[in-house]
Amino acid sequence: MGVVIEREEWALTPLAYPLLSAAGLAAVLLLPYFSAARTPAHAAGPSSSPFDVGAGPFLRFRRAFLVLFSLASVVEGIQSVFGEDEFVRCELGRDQMAARLAATAAAALFPGAISGIISDKIGPRRACILYWVLQLAVSALKSFSALRCAWINNFILALATSVFSFCFETWLVVEHEKQDQKQDLLFDTFWMMAFFESVSLIGSQEITNVLVSNDNNGFLLPYAFAAIISIVGILYMRNASSTTQHASAIGSYQKSFFAHVLRDKRVLILVLAQASIHFAVSAFWFLWAPTIVADGRYAQLSVIYPCFLASRMLGSASFPWFYGATAPFRNEDSLTIAYVGAGLALYVVAYDYQEIGTLVILFCIFHACVGFIIPSLAGLRTMYLPNELRGGMMSFSLSLANAAIFIFLLQGAHPRNIANSSILGLASCGLLGAGGCVHMLRRWRKHTRQNPRSL
């Protein structure tokens, strides 16, 4: 007599998408009605939209900047979403995948570590052009099926991703400073960047699903679409107005970097905080699917991941509600709570077996905290760090995270010496430690670098 094994597949409740979308939209649309008394400096009235705030020249720049940044996020999303399918299309085994990912982390560790310094030297406008050129190169190569498995693609894409992490933010800050705008307008743009990035990542999934084609024609349309967007970005950046370059000689930059980054404990805290969140997000990207389908469980992963991005949208949209002089918590306290929340969510996942529904909720909490942390760290960098060192500081923090990722890929993914729960546990400890370090900034807040445009 045969034994019939029934397969039970976990399905996401249909109410998840409208609830998360409604919460994110409510946080954005209701903000002017409740923030007018708290931010009178830039609110034109109780019905003014946060997207239409600012002086004429800066408002036009911000709109164009958000459109260009959204296009860049779409390209990043296409590379990441469709890139996962490359391992299957190239018929790579587990060891080969681990080797590719380790090579990508190594490329982000060594060339990416100096990319921020190069960006500070050549200026943010040229750094953005460099990003688009790198994306054009890798998209053009991957457009052809015969070239999509080349090793060079991993190195170019890793370098482009490193440049993306700071080039647009640096360009925004320098342009904001040149136009002598209020600092609250800059902080508003920070959370809009995080919000539009999540929207663009969801859109990139839809674009990839529509454009994905059979390999029989030897041409991959998603990468061709990314190449076209990269050409548009290059053309726009070439016609954009040039920004002022602050950095001078290499020697002067080195002295300034040592003085304002390596010898400033406040900036070092931000370096560690940025590295911890980057490592945690990378660990999640590697391990969330194996964690959900552990022990042979079944779930539709393609419909779960958009919920994480929607949660991130909600977290970034909640940032302006907790920022300002009359906010319920100080800025550092809100950021500390977000770090602790993200750390506890990963801690439960790492050291306690959970059902799929509970895992999805914990991962949504983690992404909501990430959406709040990203614009908060950008605001603190503006308060404590000279603008001309932003790229170098961010690439330095990312290199620390990439070093840890490289080690775990070598020791954990290939010989399997480190369990997945240990990697998530370390990411959790890093987030909790970063939350404690950020809390220490309250004691040193009175020594913050004074900015004439700050509130």
Side-chain angles (χ1 to χ4, degrees), residues 261-280:
V261 177
L262 299 181
R263 296 177 182 175
D264 192 334
K265 55 187 178 182
R266 300 164 301 174
V267 178
L268 284 178
I269 284 178
L270 297 181
V271 169
L272 296 177
Q274 180 69 37
S276 67
I277 194 65
H278 180 72
F279 176 78

Side-chain angles (χ1 to χ4, degrees), residues 283-294:
F284 165 84
W285 185 83
F286 288 129
L287 302 177
W288 77 274
T291 302
I292 287 182
V293 298

